[in-house]
Amino acid sequence: MDSQTSQPSPASQSPQPPHTFQVDLRGLVDLLSHHLYSGPKVYLRELLQNAVDAITARRAAEPDAPARVRLYAVDGTLRVEDSGVGLTESDVHSLLATIGRSSKRAEGLQEARSEFLGQFGIGLLACFVVAERIRVVSRSARTPQAPPVEWTARDDGSYTVRTLPGAERPEPGTTVYLTARAGAAEWLAPERVLALARDFGALLPYDVRVGDETVTELPAPWDRAYPGPAGRRAALARHCRELFGFTPLDSIDLDVPLAGIRGVAYVLPSAVSPAQRATHRVHLKGMLLTERAEQLLPDWAFFVRCVLDTDSLRPTASRESLYEDETLAAVREALGERIRSWLTGLAAGDPERLAAFLAVHHLGVKSLARHDRDMLRTMLPWLPFETTDGQLSLAEFARRHPVVHFTRTVEEFRQVAPIASAQGVGVVNGGYTYDSELVQALPLVLPGAVVAELDAETVTAHLDAVDPGEELALSGFLAAARATLDPLGCDVVLRSFHPLSVPALHLDDRDARHEQARAAAEDRADDLWAGILGSLRGSAPRARLVLNHLNPLVRRIAAIRDRELIGTATESLYGQALLMAQRPLRPADSALLNRAFIGLLGWATQGEGDGR
């Protein structure tokens, strides 16, 4: 046998006692202040939450118990007194000294838990964001014979607990004392405490005061009685100016009893981008939860700002935003339906206010109408569109024109609008966001309405033909002009149209532009790709330059006999027509414009060097 001592097997070793996590309080405070909470100001919300929850807990057993919260700020210190349920010495050890445990789970209070706002332990710990010391003096209402208890904690993680004589705290409740940490005294200044208390606690159901100043303002502005609709509208407008800094176009009541929601939506007085995320103020059981709630309303309702109170929505861990769940989704749908009902009500009974709203926010309504058939039928006749007759609703435009033509791009509209208007052709600019889809939906709202996309053939057909004899006499000029523009994929035609000041009109459509792009790619491609692209050549009509036979300049150009000068003049007319249509220029178009400009300068200065 081996003489060495054998090692015990792992199974024979005695079990090691478990270890507990050690918490670095300063590190945790840094985590709270820089990552969980948006800033130091939330300390006051946590104190108010604890006080309100303590009162709610006491009233669960004593409905007639006093409901008071008092705050006193003096010389870098803050004292917060409440008439709540209070704590015993054992409560202090188990709740205040154990991070993450909540007094809401204390025995006998489970039935009232849904009425609480926050978590007592973590909320009090958040006060270390602004304080170097926290002192709590409390007396329990559930155990009246227990003496008052004092808990004192410092930001280094140490704390002490001791009982006090009964005279130190004769009535049940809790008082919290904060002493400001270095550099944070401003957060405990009286004016700052008052402003924060009013911001967070204006809708709390209990009597909250900072010194002698009342904090709560109940009932909420949307629940107060007013002499009439006009008085109510004026009062809510004042509230909006105080809260958001703007005077609203209108206000919309938000009342969803099943979700425990009461509030108001204010309509913005100026247009905003649909991509801009709207932010709203949300109170949870009276306490301001956030003033930057983004997911409260559907995306299409970007033209309102809301303030509301709820008792059903779930806050995130920081209690500064809303948790995305089925309840929030249902609330979002219900609030969207309320705003939709307001719009339909305006359409039915107050067209002047509706027109004022649409003048600013038509884009949001158009977005909604695309996805909501009822809203489409209600709002489409009222929505403004850019047309050749000016800014009009589609219903009015359809009464003026038997066929509602539309373009799919702004460039196409600008290209044809002056000519089409002069020829009596009605055209709607469908190039803006949502517009072409809505114009095509017009027959669903107005049965019998005829809608057609405008193309080059339609425009040309409405222009007057030139006398055949005159056109034949200009055949040489037209042949030279066509030869000049053929490499650019553009035909030349001669017509008579108004206004006379327009010498030429460039017309194309999407198919023609696709063909131009394909031809350009074919020119740049190698033999293999050129063959493939060539096989894709379509039969789409080419772009065309329509020369106005009534224009004096065109008549003078048509009389030129020099083919080179005809080419330069044709290129100039083509370039000018492109610029008038505000179309993006291809490299070939830019080169043409430069060449035409230089050519015309050369013709204009010809002979100047000879002294002629």
Side-chain angles (χ1 to χ4, degrees):
M1 178 180 292
D2 190 347
S3 62
Q4 293 181 350
T5 304
S6 60
Q7 295 293 324
S9 65
S12 65
Q13 293 180 356
S14 59
Q16 296 293 319
H19 299 281
T20 58
F21 286 104
Q22 301 298 310
V23 176
D24 180 350
L25 186 59
R26 286 177 174 167
L28 185 57
V29 169
D30 179 74
L31 178 68
L32 289 174
S33 59
H34 291 96
H35 301 284
L36 183 63
Y37 295 129
S38 62
K41 68 178 183 178
V42 298
Y43 88 92
L44 192 66
R45 184 195 63 194
E46 300 297 337
L47 289 173
L48 288 176
Q49 283 182 346
N50 288 337
V52 169
D53 285 344
I55 294 172
T56 301
R58 182 176 180 183
R59 283 199 157 189
E62 303 176 52
D64 296 329
R68 297 186 305 272
V69 181
R70 298 290 184 266
L71 297 90
Y72 303 94
V74 180
D75 296 332
T77 65
L78 177 65
R79 183 172 88 253
V80 182
E81 301 177 353
D82 70 65
S83 57
V85 67
L87 301 171
T88 63
E89 184 177 1
S90 62
D91 291 336
V92 166
H93 283 289
S94 63
L95 299 175
L96 298 190
T98 306
I99 297 171
R101 183 171 297 171
S102 172
S103 62
K104 298 13 166 230
R105 290 190 285 273
E107 183 180 358
L109 299 180
Q110 185 68 30
E111 67 277 5
R113 191 178 176 194
S114 64
E115 298 300 319
F116 295 128
L117 297 171
Q119 299 269 326
F120 188 83
I122 197 72
L124 191 59
L125 186 64
C127 292
F128 279 120
V129 172
V130 298
E132 65 176 9
R133 187 180 67 167
I134 302 173
R135 177 171 172 252
V136 177
V137 176
S138 187
R139 183 163 193 165
S140 174
R142 288 179 293 161
T143 312
Q145 67 277 14
V149 60
E150 177 193 71
W151 177 83
T152 304
R154 295 183 175 275
D155 60 1
D156 61 2
S158 63
Y159 73 92
T160 59
V161 178
R162 66 188 181 109
T163 57
L164 302 175
E168 290 282 340
R169 178 84 199 194
E171 299 293 331
T174 299
T175 302
V176 178
Y177 301 85
L178 301 186
T179 302
R181 64 192 308 166
E186 62 173 302
W187 293 102
L188 273 61
E191 61 277 4
R192 177 64 67 89
V193 170
L194 177 60
L196 291 177
R198 284 177 171 166
D199 196 37
F200 285 119
L203 301 184
L204 289 174
Y206 304 136
D207 179 15
V208 181
R209 300 186 186 188
V210 176
D212 296 329
E213 298 285 344
T214 300
V215 168
T216 50
E217 299 176 0
L218 295 178
W222 50 84
D223 286 330
R224 295 172 191 166
Y226 297 99
R232 187 175 195 277
R233 190 177 298 120
L236 290 179
R238 287 193 300 272
H239 177 248
C240 180
R241 283 194 298 272
E242 295 169 359
L243 204 60
F244 294 116
F246 65 85
T247 301
L249 283 178
D250 206 348
S251 56
I252 309 168
D253 285 326
L254 302 177
D255 187 3
V256 186
L258 292 179
I261 286 178
R262 289 282 298 155
V264 61
Y266 293 116
V267 181
L268 291 167
S270 57
V272 294
S273 168
Q276 180 178 330
R277 297 302 299 245
T279 56
H280 313 285
R281 289 176 63 94
V282 177
H283 295 255
L284 179 63
K285 302 180 183 73
M287 180 71 72
L288 178 66
L289 180 70
T290 178
E291 53 190 355
R292 295 186 301 273
E294 293 185 348
Q295 66 271 51
L296 187 64
L297 294 181
D299 290 340
W300 55 260
F302 57 83
F303 49 83
V304 298
R305 294 292 181 270
C306 296
V307 53
L308 56 82
D309 189 25
T310 176
D311 59 14
S312 64
L313 297 179
R314 179 181 168 192
T316 58
S318 67
R319 294 191 294 283
E320 293 188 272
S321 59
L322 298 172
Y323 190 83
E324 184 68 50
D325 57 11
E326 293 181 357
T327 301
L328 179 57
V331 165
R332 183 162 50 236
E333 182 177 349
L335 295 180
E337 180 59 36
R338 183 66 195 88
I339 296 173
R340 185 185 290 109
S341 298
W342 170 78
L343 284 172
T344 55
L346 288 186
D350 200 338
E352 289 186 4
R353 285 171 65 200
L354 177 63
F357 166 75
L358 291 178
V360 178
H361 296 296
H362 57 274
L363 192 59
V365 179
K366 287 179 178 179
S367 173
L368 173 59
R370 290 170 58 238
H371 305 291
D372 190 307
R373 186 60 59 86
D374 292 335
M375 185 58 65
L376 176 69
R377 290 194 172 93
T378 301
M379 301 305 299
L380 188 56
W382 300 92
L383 289 171
F385 289 81
E386 183 181 1
T387 77
T388 48
D389 293 353
Q391 201 83 353
L392 289 176
S393 69
L394 288 184
E396 175 62 25
F397 191 76
R399 283 193 288 270
R400 299 184 183 187
H401 300 279
V403 178
V404 178
H405 292 97
F406 72 96
T407 64
R408 291 189 180 272
T409 67
V410 175
E411 291 81 7
E412 290 174 0
F413 179 79
R414 290 171 178 165
Q415 185 177 322
V416 303
I419 311 303
S421 178
Q423 307 304 313
V425 179
V427 184
V428 178
N429 185 356
Y432 295 117
T433 307
Y434 316 130
D435 282 11
S436 62
E437 296 175 65
L438 295 174
V439 174
Q440 293 177 85
L442 182 61
L444 298 175
V445 179
L446 297 176
V450 179
V451 176
E453 183 175 355
L454 189 70
D455 55 25
E457 291 289 345
T458 302
V459 177
T460 306
H462 281 81
L463 304 180
D464 295 333
V466 177
D467 180 84
E470 293 186 40
E471 188 167 1
L472 180 61
L474 298 176
S475 58
F477 161 72
L478 292 174
R482 287 166 182 153
T484 300
L485 297 185
D486 184 68
L488 296 173
C490 183
D491 292 332
V492 178
V493 297
L494 189 65
R495 292 289 188 272
S496 297
F497 56 86
H498 292 272
L500 301 180
S501 59
V502 177
L505 176 66
H506 181 269
L507 295 176
D508 64 359
D509 51 29
R510 286 180 300 159
D511 292 336
R513 288 193 292 276
H514 291 165
E515 176 61 22
Q516 288 178 343
R518 186 208 59 78
E522 182 180 354
D523 291 339
R524 295 191 301 269
D526 57 27
D527 292 341
L528 174 61
W529 281 109
I532 295 174
L533 292 170
S535 68
L536 298 176
R537 182 181 293 111
S539 59
R542 301 189 344 148
R544 62 189 62 183
L545 181 69
V546 184
L547 301 179
N548 187 0
H549 187 53
L550 300 179
N551 181 265
L553 176 61
V554 172
R555 285 179 174 272
R556 289 196 296 272
I557 293 174
I560 297 174
R561 294 294 178 261
D562 188 314
R563 290 183 65 87
E564 184 179 352
L565 183 54
I566 289 175
T568 300
T570 302
E571 289 178 338
S572 299
L573 290 173
Y574 174 83
Q576 189 263 355
L578 286 180
L579 294 175
M580 290 297 293
Q582 301 183 40
R583 291 289 306 279
L585 298 180
R586 300 171 296 167
D589 297 329
S590 298
L592 175 144
L593 280 170
N594 184 63
R595 184 172 62 248
F597 178 71
I598 297 299
L600 288 177
L601 281 179
W603 282 100
T605 58
Q606 189 176 24
E608 289 294 327
D610 301 330
R612 290 182 291 174

